[in-house]
Amino acid sequence: IQAVSLGMVTDITSSALTAFLRVADRLSRLGGKLVLFSAPPEVERIIRRGGLDQALKIEPTLEAALATAEGRK
């Protein structure tokens, strides 16, 4: 389980999104999950607009991210 806070992120590049996608894919193949949390509204919109929220799970808080990663949500 990897939970990454985006709380201090003000903008996100395609390179960063690609890196997150690669990590999520690798973790998935190893039986793990990557969950992003605390993304500012604009960053979350960028992720959702690109349809990347299908591969990158986004939650509002660390607690919600851990619940998602552990399958409790």
Side-chain angles (χ1 to χ4, degrees):
I1 298 169
Q2 293 293 319
V4 177
S5 173
L6 298 180
M8 299 296 289
V9 175
T10 57
D11 193 16
I12 194 159
T13 65
S14 61
S15 295
L17 292 171
T18 298
F20 280 135
L21 289 168
R22 287 183 179 158
V23 169
D25 181 60
R26 176 138 184 166
L27 284 171
S28 178
R29 285 187 275 127
L30 296 172
K33 290 184 183 181
L34 174 68
V35 184
L36 309 176
F37 69 97
S38 296
E42 183 57 30
V43 172
E44 189 169 343
R45 272 193 294 277
I46 291 168
I47 293 169
R48 291 191 191 285
R49 191 177 312 135
L52 301 177
D53 56 319
Q54 300 302 311
L56 298 172
K57 300 300 178 196
I58 307 170
E59 294 293 348
T61 65
L62 173 59
E63 294 77 16
L66 294 175
T68 293
E70 293 169 356
R72 294 184 283 133
K73 189 173 179 193

